[in-house]
Amino acid sequence: MVWFQCEDCGDTLKKPKVKGHSGQCSASRFSCVDCMQVFDKWTVHNHTSCVTEHEKYALSITKPGQEHLMSAAAAGGGS
């Protein structure tokens, strides 16, 4: 599920709640919690996916120079 942060009031919302929030707040811009891209209230609904949990969490914990180990594990070559 994609989550957004309202750039006007700071609330964090699941995508289905964004439309309703736009009516309650000035809500002119929303940023995706995962990829940090900023959308206006008309384009936010087109953002359905960005980074996978693997990309967000697993790759962020690798040490510099060890990315090849995570790539091999993701491809099924890890033991």
Side-chain angles (χ1 to χ4, degrees):
M1 176 67 63
V2 181
W3 285 77
F4 295 95
Q5 181 172 12
C6 175
E7 293 289 314
D8 293 345
C9 71
D11 282 357
T12 303
L13 314 150
K14 286 184 180 180
K15 186 175 181 179
K17 301 285 184 181
V18 170
K19 186 176 183 176
H21 184 78
S22 296
Q24 299 170 359
C25 171
S26 57
S28 60
R29 295 169 16 124
F30 297 91
S31 59
C32 174
V33 172
D34 292 324
C35 69
M36 305 308 291
Q37 284 186 296
V38 178
F39 303 91
D40 61 29
K41 61 184 177 182
W42 297 280
T43 60
V44 69
H45 301 289
N46 296 329
H47 187 63
T48 56
S49 66
C50 50
V51 295
T52 64
E53 286 188 16
H54 175 74
E55 291 169 329
K56 184 175 180 182
Y57 298 109
L59 295 179
S60 67
I61 62 171
T62 59
K63 295 179 183 174
Q66 293 184 347
E67 292 85 1
H68 66 282
L69 297 175
M70 292 304 294
S71 296
S79 3

